Amino acid sequence: MIKTLGDGLMAMFPHPAGAVRAAEEVHDSLERVMGAVRPSRSPVMRVQIAMAHGEVIEVAGDCFGDAVNVAARLGDIAENGEVVVGELTHQLARHAFDMTPLGARSIRGRAEALQAYKVVGPHDSGTNAWHPIEMAALPLCGRDAELTQLLEAYGRALVGTPQLISVVDRKSTRLNSSHVA
């Protein structure tokens, strides 16, 4: 969790599918707790959750950027008990979750309308596998050689040759490794 904002909060996740999974768990947990402790005639507490994927700038434990602003505006679209996501989050999490398009939405502070999607729930198959072929459709500016290497490694993994892929963030000292098998 990054911070609380009145009755809301902001959190960051390493991958959009994990963020969507956490949002679904928040709704499930809230429903379970409210069902156990709520008197029969009192109002049901529901939350709206929205998320956007993109670059952010972290300053002194706070985050700023277009993804933060888009998520806040998508939150205005979300109804009680819903999770609403933007286009890039949809692209990165659709392998694990069913989503319904809400169409292009005009949001404050943006000249162009944004595509919004309502999360319906996890796929019945229960698969949470990462699909790099879908990732190939996402913009990686100036990274054609690296994308080709990733897709080739994925192809070798599909035929049974384990691959280890390391991604180094040159802006920090973090090293992230993903095993593709």
Side-chain angles (χ1 to χ4, degrees), residues 67-135:
V68 175
N69 296 331
V70 169
R73 298 303 152 245
L74 290 173
D76 296 338
I77 296 170
E79 299 289 335
N80 287 334
E82 288 184 348
V83 178
V84 174
V85 303
E87 179 64 35
L88 192 51
T89 304
H90 169 257
Q91 291 289 327
L92 293 167
R94 69 182 180 189
H95 67 277
F97 294 91
D98 293 321
M99 299 186 202
T100 301
L102 298 175
R105 299 293 182 105
S106 296
I107 61 171
R108 189 177 63 209
R110 299 289 294 234
E112 72 281 353
L114 296 177
Q115 294 295 323
Y117 299 83
K118 179 176 113 176
V119 176
V120 177
H123 286 316
D124 289 334
S125 65
T127 181
N128 287 323
W130 179 60
H131 292 282
I133 300 305
E134 290 180 3
M135 292 289 293

Side-chain angles (χ1 to χ4, degrees), residues 4-181:
T4 57
L5 308 159
D7 62 353
L9 65 89
M10 179 178 18
M12 286 182 43
F13 291 83
H15 193 277
V20 174
R21 192 172 303 108
E24 290 288 293
E25 288 176 13
V26 166
H27 286 305
D28 292 345
S29 296
L30 187 58
E31 191 172 307
R32 199 171 41 254
V33 168
M34 291 303 295
V37 299
R38 183 178 65 89
S40 63
R41 292 192 177 147
S42 60
V44 176
M45 186 169 109
R46 301 255 189 243
V47 296
Q48 304 95 358
I49 300 175
M51 58 191 70
H53 181 77
E55 291 185 17
V56 297
I57 298 170
E58 186 175 348
V59 177
D62 201 354
C63 288
F64 304 92
D66 191 52
V68 175
N69 296 331
V70 169
R73 298 303 152 245
L74 290 173
D76 296 338
I77 296 170
E79 299 289 335
N80 287 334
E82 288 184 348
V83 178
V84 174
V85 303
E87 179 64 35
L88 192 51
T89 304
H90 169 257
Q91 291 289 327
L92 293 167
R94 69 182 180 189
H95 67 277
F97 294 91
D98 293 321
M99 299 186 202
T100 301
L102 298 175
R105 299 293 182 105
S106 296
I107 61 171
R108 189 177 63 209
R110 299 289 294 234
E112 72 281 353
L114 296 177
Q115 294 295 323
Y117 299 83
K118 179 176 113 176
V119 176
V120 177
H123 286 316
D124 289 334
S125 65
T127 181
N128 287 323
W130 179 60
H131 292 282
I133 300 305
E134 290 180 3
M135 292 289 293
L138 299 175
L140 285 175
C141 300
R143 298 285 185 228
D144 293 337
E146 291 86 351
L147 180 58
T148 298
Q149 288 176 331
L150 284 172
L151 292 174
E152 287 172 353
Y154 178 64
R156 289 189 298 270
L158 286 176
V159 296
T161 305
Q163 304 290 301
L164 177 65
I165 300 168
S166 296
V167 179
V168 178
D169 181 353
R170 293 186 180 163
K171 294 179 185 172
S172 72
T173 58
R174 292 179 290 173
L175 174 67
N176 301 314
S177 293
S178 297
H179 188 80
V180 180

